[in-house]
Structures are given as C-alpha cells and as structure tokens.
Amino acid sequence: MFEKILIANRGEIALRIHRACHEMGIKTVAVHSTADAEAMHVRLADESVCIGPPPSRDSYLSIPAIISAATITGADAIHPGVGFLSENATFASMVEEHGITFIGPKPQHIALMGDKVAARGAARELGLPVVPGSDGAVSSEKEALALSANIGFPLLIKAAAGGGGRGMKIAADEAALPEAFRMARNEARAAFDNDQVYMERYLGQPRHIEVQILADGHGNIVHLGERDCSLQRRHQKVLEEAPSPALNDTQCDEIGRTAVEAMKKLGYRSVGTIEFLYEEGEFFFIEMNTRLQVEHPVTEMITGVDLVREQIRAAAGSTLSVAQEDIAYMGHAMECRINAEHWRTFVPSPGRVKAYHAPGGVGVRVDSGLYAGYSVPPHYDSLVAKLVVHGLTREDCIMRLRRTLEEYVIDGIETTIPLHQRLAVTPAFMNGHYNIHWLEKFLAGLEG
Ligand code: ADP
C-alpha cells in the first residue's frame, strides 16, 4: 500500500480524499494556491506545498508544479480528485512516467471517454444504447442538415470536448439548424479550444440516471447501483439521490449489469460513472466520467462502501473488498450541493464566513472545508459544502433533509440553502415526479 499520497485538488473533495487516506494509515500532502493557504484541506494534511498563484491554470492545473511537489515530498501516488486534472490523460501519463502512481483509470480510457464523439462510438461497440444521433463528428452545416432528417427535431448540437454542462445548443427545427450549428462550433472553439461537434436527438422529458462502477486491475468489476441526478440547472446537478424514484429493482439490476459488461469488455480500472438519459423505459448513454463524481456520497450512504478507499486500493494493485453479491442497498440518500451563491440569482458570493454550524445526528454527513473565519476565495468553483442525508425510506430522507437544512448555519456569505429548503417542501420533488427540465421551470416560477 502507498505510504504517502499527494492530493491534487482543493476544497471538500480534497478533504474527502484526505479522510480516506488517514483511515487507511496513509500520509497526505496537500497542494494549494496562495489563495488557499488557510484552507481546511491544507490544515489537515500532514504536509503541504504552495504550487502557485490563485488562477487555476497557474496552480491546480499546473502539471509541472504538481509533479514537482510530489517529487519533493516523496509521495508515491497522486489522487487527482474531481475537476481540474482528473480527466487529463496527459497528466495521468506524465505522473506514471515520473514513477508515481496515478490514482485513476488507464490514460487511454481517460482519453477515449474525454472525447465525446469517440465515447459514443465506443459505447455503441461495448453494447450500450446511445442517444440517436450522428455517428461521428459533424463537420459542416450541409452535413448537419442532411443528418437531421434521420435524427429528427428538436436536436442538440454538442461539443466533442464538452463538460460541465457547457457547449450544447438546441435546434428547434430545420430553419434554426445552421445558426445553432455555427454558434455551437464557435462556443466549443472558445471554451475548449476544439470546435468538433456532434448531434443528438433532444429528449423532451428524460431523467438523468447514472451507474457507479468500481473496478480493480484484476478483472473484478462491480456496480453499486444508480444515482438520479435529474434536478439540474443549466445542465448542472443541484441535488442527487439514490436509488432513483423512477426505477424498479429489475430495471436497476439490468442497467447495472449492462454497464458492468461494457466495462469488462473495455478492461476498465478504478471508479467510473456511466451516465444515461432515461425516458419511457429506455436508457440512452450520454457520457462516461472516468473519475470520482461529486455525488458519490449518496452511493456510499446506501451501500456502506467507501469508494475512495476502493479506488486507492485498486491503484495500489489490491483486489476489490466487495464482490457484486456483497453489495446490498439500504434505505435512501440525498445530497444537496451547497454553493456560495445567492439562492435565487445564483450570483457568486465569495467572502468571509462569520459563523458556521453544521448539522449532525443519525444519517447525516457533511463534506465541507468551511469554518468560522474562513474566507471563500472568488477564484474557484462555488461548491462549498455537500449535505448528504440517509433515511430508511425516501420519506424519512426528505424529513431529515428538511431538519438538517434548518439546522445548517453559514453566516457571512450567501448560499443555496434557501433553494434546497424550498425544494424539500415542493410536491413534485416530494413525490419524485421530475425530469431534467423540471427545476428550471420551478426556478422560473419562484418569487423572492
Ligand atoms: P456534460 O459533459 O457537459 O455534463 P452531458 O452530455 O453529460 O454533458 O449532459 C449534461 C446534461 O445535459 C444531461 O444531464 C442532460 O440534462 C442534458 N442533456 C444532454 N444530452 C441531452 C439530450 N440528448 N437531450 C436532452 N438533454 C440532454
């Protein structure tokens, strides 16, 4: 097993990884920008290295700075966390070239799934149902028009290098297609430095359902059920739950098994998530994330499996601690993403936290680096806390969610807690009848 792991990330996810490491008796090295010198992930780590100024490109995205920090501190592995360099195949390869273990999948699988056009092709070959759309990249307006006859309208033009819900344009009909195509390409070029786009049928009322995969390097691959992440704003997840209120046990088993078979064919290693849209009984692959997901705690809450621990074990060459038949689901879990943003306008709200009190009690988990006196820097993602609750039933879980949201005190900055409080008492949420478009409509109808 590793003796020392460098965590190439910040905030709550860096803390999450640190916790798994210490429970395994592994020392940790935190890296941080000058803006994060006082951050909790730095305070708790055994060692820390300042890797640059506040902008991410000069610190958390600086491959030379991170590899140097690992070399200087004698770390034998690097955990990339979520975001930043976690899906960068070049980084994964360079880490390995320096004799350090990259805690994640093989670089070729990161590269394959990072190119969404290639990923669609691979998914099809692996036996996963994909959203009807173009076979490969679409290179001209003429080609887009020709293909649209088979795909149908409305359709979605998506960036091959897209991520984080960015780089998508809807074309409602044929007349709107050329303009949407041009805009999608320009945006993709500006945002991702890659103007390759592809097309998919735009689904009218799907749910976003994803399957958690866990694999060691010895051919053992299991799934840990699904997560429902249909509550989204601007294609970004706001609240996630497991299991999905829309599926029955047979459907969950089937999609889980299909996902495992695909990963066996691929020879996948580490944690991974296969994302699907689900509409009228059918699943359609949209993408695969070759890393830990922000919402992984809901799976941990209902299975009791520590995904980060398993990920570290797999990277160290150990076998999985669980077989498929050991994985049992208990109860229901939900995660609220709490952002440092105004709950209604979503304007970022960095600044000093004056008072802080996290909720507790049975079935409650808070992943956050916040503390009283801490200043949330303006340079990074606004996610500052994840409130995760578990209940024996979905109803218990909702009651616990309401109670914990009431208890949670974060003074000094605006947060999205009031939005979650409103959601938790809304009938469509309570009865589980929502799809990926529902939250936007709910927000449009809110007063305040
Ligand atoms: P990203 O990599 O940016 O997260 P995804 O392909 O995972 O992009 O899609 C993000 C979200 O966008 C999905 O969860 C869903 O809400 C919406 N979306 C993606 N593809 C479609 C589609 N074909 N039809 C309708 N909505 C879609």
Side-chain angles (χ1 to χ4, degrees):
M1 189 40 71
F2 306 119
E3 283 181 12
K4 200 190 266 188
I5 293 178
L6 181 139
I7 303 164
N9 218 294
R10 63 179 301 283
E12 64 81 22
I13 202 70
L15 265 183
R16 165 71 189 90
I17 297 158
H18 165 84
R19 287 172 174 149
C21 292
H22 268 206
E23 288 175 13
M24 296 171 82
I26 301 170
K27 294 214 170 340
T28 57
V29 180
V31 291
H32 65 91
S33 70
T34 50
D36 275 341
E38 298 301 321
M40 189 57 95
H41 77 275
V42 178
R43 291 184 168 199
L44 288 186
D46 297 293
E47 288 171 71
S48 63
V49 181
C50 180
I51 50 165
S56 305
R57 65 176 180 277
D58 301 322
S59 49
Y60 298 104
L61 289 173
S62 168
I63 296 178
I66 290 168
I67 295 183
S68 306
T71 309
I72 292 163
T73 53
D76 35 17
I78 296 183
H79 195 305
V82 167
F84 293 129
L85 295 168
S86 61
E87 287 176 296
N88 184 317
T90 309
F91 176 62
S93 306
M94 284 181 74
V95 168
E96 299 275 339
E97 280 160 22
H98 282 78
I100 303 164
T101 305
F102 176 76
I103 302 176
K106 297 169 193 164
Q108 70 264 33
H109 291 156
I110 301 179
L112 175 68
M113 296 302 174
D115 174 345
K116 296 172 95 177
V117 171
R120 262 173 74 81
R124 226 182 282 123
E125 275 175 30
L126 294 167
L128 296 171
V130 301
V131 186
S134 60
D135 279 341
V138 183
S139 49
S140 66
E141 285 166 38
K142 205 169 140 215
E143 193 186 349
L145 277 169
L147 289 170
S148 68
N150 279 332
I151 301 171
F153 287 98
L155 60 75
L156 206 52
I157 304 156
K158 296 170 87 168
R166 292 175 309 150
M168 285 181 232
K169 280 273 164 288
I170 303 176
D173 50 34
E174 208 175 291
L177 185 59
E179 170 77 5
F181 182 82
R182 274 195 301 275
M183 280 171 66
R185 273 196 113 166
N186 289 341
E187 279 190 17
R189 193 180 305 117
F192 311 109
D193 203 21
N194 173 349
D195 68 359
Q196 225 181 47
V197 296
Y198 64 105
M199 302 200 303
E200 272 180 5
R201 179 182 299 161
Y202 180 75
L203 301 181
Q205 40 192 328
R207 298 183 77 109
H208 173 117
I209 292 179
E210 57 186 36
V211 177
Q212 177 67 54
I213 292 291
L214 181 57
D216 59 24
H218 305 281
N220 302 304
I221 305 190
V222 300
H223 72 85
L224 292 100
E226 84 284 4
R227 292 183 286 261
D228 195 318
C229 313
S230 305
L231 289 167
Q232 302 182 355
R233 176 178 170 264
R234 297 193 173 166
H235 305 304
Q236 290 200 42
K237 299 159 189 167
V238 171
L239 184 154
E240 304 94 347
E241 62 179 308
S244 167
L247 299 184
N248 60 39
D249 290 351
T250 318
Q251 289 169 308
C252 298
D253 281 351
E254 270 176 25
I255 195 64
R257 247 183 293 124
T258 309
V260 167
E261 264 154 42
M263 290 302 104
K264 283 195 171 153
K265 275 190 215 160
L266 188 64
Y268 191 73
R269 177 194 75 200
S270 194
V271 298
T273 297
I274 308 187
E275 297 192 337
F276 297 94
L277 292 179
Y278 171 81
E279 192 173 70
E280 289 171 10
E282 276 189 273
F283 285 95
F284 303 98
F285 169 91
I286 44 170
E287 70 163 342
M288 174 168 185
N289 289 316
T290 51
R291 54 163 168 83
L292 194 66
Q293 301 267 104
V294 171
E295 60 275 21
H296 76 278
V298 292
T299 301
E300 296 183 323
M301 291 295 249
I302 62 163
T303 60
V305 175
D306 180 334
L307 288 167
V308 179
R309 183 189 184 97
E310 293 303 320
Q311 187 186 21
I312 294 171
R313 281 175 52 90
S318 305
T319 51
L320 297 183
S321 337
V322 284
Q324 191 68 58
E325 55 272 22
D326 300 328
I327 296 163
Y329 307 104
M330 216 240 330
H332 202 95
M334 292 179 175
E335 172 187 278
C336 294
R337 295 192 187 202
I338 298 174
N339 293 346
E341 289 169 359
H342 186 276
W343 70 275
R344 187 69 197 85
T345 59
F346 301 99
V347 172
S349 177
R352 192 162 176 274
V353 176
K354 292 200 187 98
Y356 183 77
H357 174 79
V362 178
V364 181
R365 164 173 171 181
V366 177
D367 282 16
S368 174
L370 292 182
Y371 59 87
Y374 172 69
S375 274
V376 176
H379 317 281
Y380 311 107
D381 189 276
S382 61
L383 179 75
V384 288
K386 299 188 314 206
L387 170 62
V388 194
V389 295
H390 181 259
L392 285 180
T393 63
R394 191 169 184 272
E395 290 68 36
D396 294 345
C397 192
I398 292 175
M399 292 309 285
R400 187 157 284 150
L401 191 65
R402 291 185 196 165
R403 187 270 291 171
T404 48
L405 284 165
E406 224 168 77
E407 251 178 59
Y408 211 156
V409 177
I410 307 176
D411 277 349
I413 56 170
E414 299 283 352
T415 76
T416 49
I417 290 175
L419 167 64
H420 289 293
Q421 284 176 315
R422 279 159 181 83
L423 261 179
V425 294
T426 301
F429 170 69
M430 285 159 60
N431 62 30
H433 291 165
Y434 56 82
N435 60 47
I436 60 163
H437 307 300
W438 179 80
L439 183 62
E440 296 274 9
K441 286 184 209 134
F442 172 75
L443 289 169
L446 273 183
E447 286 174 20

